[in-house]
Amino acid sequence: MAAEEVKWRFKPNKAVNTASDITIRGVLNAIMSALEPSDARPVIPLGHGDPSAFPCFRTSSAAEDAIADAVRSAKFNSYSPTVGILSARQAIAEYLSRDLPYKLLPDDVFVTIGCSQAIEIAVTVLARPGANILLPKPGFPYYEARAAFDNLEMRHFELLPERGWEVDLDKVESLADENTVAIVIINPGNPCGNVYTYEHLKKIAETARRLGIAVIADEVYAHLTFGSNPFVPMATFGSIAPVLTLGSISKRWIVPGWRLGWLVASDPNGYLRKTKIIESITGFLNISSDPATFIQGAIPQILEKTTEDFFDKIVNMLRESADICFENIKEINCITCPQKPEGSMFVKLNTSLLEDIDNDLDFCLKLAKEESVVVLPGSAVGITNWLRVTFAIDPSSLADGLKRMKTFCKRHAKKQKY
Ligand SMILES: *Cc1c(COP(=O)(O)O)cnc(C)c1O
């Protein structure tokens, strides 16, 4: 039979495309394709969050040794238990308990394929029919993509730039109803680069308690702070409202390719167990895959043996870059930074000062084309006419990139009218 006579029955699952349209990668790809190949200058990538390609951001030697030791031990060649190997769960529980008023147990910890899989699990287990989830705006679009894929209704609350990107708690109260299951908090913030105070986190927990909902705390940037606010884990308030803590070694150890993260029930009163959410998490893990066993096997050494020197070096480099960024951006008229960044850099774009630039996406496309500099438009993270400038790159490239941005803004500045 000729091929054209066959009626093929398969069609793509549209839910996949709908969800994948929401990702940062899609927007960045569009901007990358605007780059002008004839520009001989190197491309300056200030759009993505992966500094691991730069030699100055190499991971700790303790982490590299841990992986080599785990492989050579030949103890980690088998399948992993679906929840993660015990030594990894134990080590993660101890690592996180250092900053908490109570002790986490290995049973509270689920080892995941990066923080991304932890997000996937948290969103999926809560997505019963009719439920809704509260998400920050701006935020991290992977939550939107997963919620869309799971048919979980999303309701957005604003983060307030004039209040250091704090959660608009009045809005949260007004959005929630009896079908609300959780609120997502990203701290330290991405894309805003803010760090929440102890008091604000406590208020969030109290609000969650009043509403009877869980807190999903995305702490993938935990401890990567260099401003005045220290990092406080949401789990500190786990006895007020149950917290699902999500994290990974991707950012703090600068190894996003190692794909190791965790989902932790920070819930000393056991509400997540009583309501069978934990059972649902283990159920989910039975029908998905696990991080490579030798990476899990290396985790105890990675967490215990990496010295403060390494973390200090990274944080100091980021602080220096943040300063370079902050000072240079001050000199660009059409861009303002509401506060000195404590994490990444999120700045406001004033298109009214520019000629022939419609909005943030247009700005980013033209900047890529004319200056070979890539930055992320705020519209990709839920808020238009902002820009996320990632400064975790080597200082000379950063300075070069900012100089080109300045030139670009000057070239497109509205001419003074008299
Ligand atoms: C990078 C990032 C993640 C994903 O972390 P992985 O460990 O690479 O999967 C999750 N949430 C936020 C806010 C991030 O910036």
Side-chain angles (χ1 to χ4, degrees):
M1 192 155 56
E4 47 276 21
E5 288 167 37
V6 181
K7 186 170 179 350
W8 301 113
R9 309 263 168 207
F10 42 79
K11 281 195 185 123
N13 175 355
K14 282 211 185 90
V16 175
N17 302 65
T18 311
S20 82
D21 280 349
I22 314 176
T23 58
I24 290 183
R25 272 186 207 188
V27 177
L28 279 181
N29 286 344
I31 294 169
M32 303 288 273
S33 53
L35 291 167
E36 192 55 64
S38 61
D39 190 344
R41 297 173 298 175
V43 173
I44 310 281
L46 306 177
H48 68 341
D50 185 358
S52 58
F54 299 99
C56 62
F57 284 102
R58 181 163 171 174
T59 192
S60 71
S61 49
E64 294 176 355
D65 291 344
I67 296 286
D69 290 352
V71 172
R72 293 220 174 85
S73 75
K75 281 194 226 154
F76 304 107
N77 294 337
S78 33
Y79 283 116
S80 146
T82 54
V83 291
I85 65 173
L86 181 60
S87 60
R89 302 176 86 191
Q90 175 91 43
I92 294 165
E94 278 169 20
Y95 168 69
L96 295 175
S97 296
R98 287 183 210 162
D99 302 317
L100 295 180
Y102 55 92
K103 285 248 161 302
L104 293 165
L105 300 172
D107 273 355
D108 299 322
V109 176
F110 302 92
V111 187
T112 58
I113 306 172
C115 185
S116 306
Q117 195 196 23
I119 296 174
E120 177 187 345
I121 297 168
V123 170
T124 305
V125 300
L126 293 168
R128 62 166 166 75
N132 67 73
I133 190 166
L134 308 180
L135 300 178
K137 187 177 156 161
F140 187 66
Y142 195 60
Y143 288 91
E144 277 80 357
R146 289 308 319 182
F149 191 67
D150 287 329
N151 278 317
L152 176 60
E153 185 196 335
M154 312 165 221
R155 298 186 180 177
H156 288 95
F157 57 88
E158 278 77 34
L159 304 180
L160 305 169
E162 66 283 5
R163 294 220 317 247
W165 300 105
E166 280 187 352
V167 173
D168 184 346
L169 287 169
D170 296 332
K171 183 72 185 280
V172 166
E173 300 244 9
S174 70
L175 284 176
D177 62 19
E178 68 281 4
N179 289 316
T180 305
V181 289
I183 178 171
V184 171
I185 301 296
I186 303 170
N187 181 54
N190 182 13
C192 306
N194 58 295
V195 181
Y196 289 140
T197 62
Y198 180 96
E199 289 74 24
H200 187 62
L201 292 169
K202 184 159 183 239
K203 274 191 205 146
I204 293 171
E206 287 163 350
T207 305
R209 185 184 182 85
R210 248 193 319 281
L211 299 171
I213 63 178
V215 181
I216 296 175
D218 184 327
E219 299 180 347
V220 76
Y221 290 99
H223 302 286
L224 282 175
T225 62
F226 39 83
S228 48
N229 289 344
F231 166 70
V232 177
M234 190 74 220
T236 308
F237 308 103
S239 54
I240 300 178
V243 176
L244 285 168
T245 301
L246 320 184
S248 76
I249 59 170
S250 304
K251 309 283 162 72
R252 195 177 188 203
W253 273 266
I254 328 172
V255 287
W258 291 10
R259 309 310 303 132
L260 194 121
W262 49 80
L263 168 72
V264 177
S266 310
D267 177 32
N269 297 319
Y271 296 123
L272 294 168
R273 216 166 277 282
K274 283 174 211 153
T275 54
K276 302 212 187 298
I277 294 296
I278 299 296
E279 201 178 296
S280 188
I281 292 171
T282 46
F284 183 99
L285 289 167
N286 285 338
I287 56 166
S288 68
S289 192
D290 326 303
T293 312
F294 71 90
I295 307 272
Q296 297 190 48
I299 268 290
Q301 269 197 54
I302 294 175
L303 298 184
E304 282 149 32
K305 298 254 172 83
T306 301
T307 58
E308 285 305 316
D309 290 0
F310 169 76
F311 298 131
D312 289 348
K313 190 188 91 183
I314 297 298
V315 165
N316 285 335
M317 266 190 311
L318 291 175
R319 184 184 291 118
E320 253 171 60
S321 295
D323 288 344
I324 297 177
C325 226
F326 188 66
E327 294 308 320
N328 278 280
I329 291 234
K330 266 196 212 156
E331 296 169 17
I332 306 181
N333 260 338
C334 61
I335 300 177
T336 44
C337 185
Q339 62 164 17
K340 197 152 185 184
E342 301 184 51
S344 69
M345 184 101 172
F346 202 54
V347 292
K348 180 139 187 55
L349 175 69
N350 186 347
T351 48
S352 72
L353 297 176
L354 297 170
E355 224 158 48
D356 67 9
I357 303 277
D358 299 336
N359 54 37
D360 54 343
L361 179 61
D362 194 31
F363 181 95
C364 293
L365 289 169
K366 287 178 175 149
L367 179 67
K369 184 172 165 55
E370 295 172 27
E371 297 291 341
S372 298
V373 174
V374 178
V375 301
L376 186 76
S379 49
V381 292
I383 165 169
T384 49
N385 290 343
W386 287 75
L387 303 168
R388 190 189 68 177
V389 182
T390 305
F391 48 73
I393 76 170
D394 72 278
S396 65
S397 307
L398 177 62
D400 189 6
L402 291 165
K403 207 169 101 197
R404 293 190 210 171
M405 261 171 86
K406 201 184 293 179
T407 312
F408 175 84
C409 289
K410 272 202 186 128
R411 184 161 60 243
H412 289 273
K414 271 204 180 128
K415 310 290 172 281
Q416 296 266 335
K417 291 197 184 86
Y418 296 98

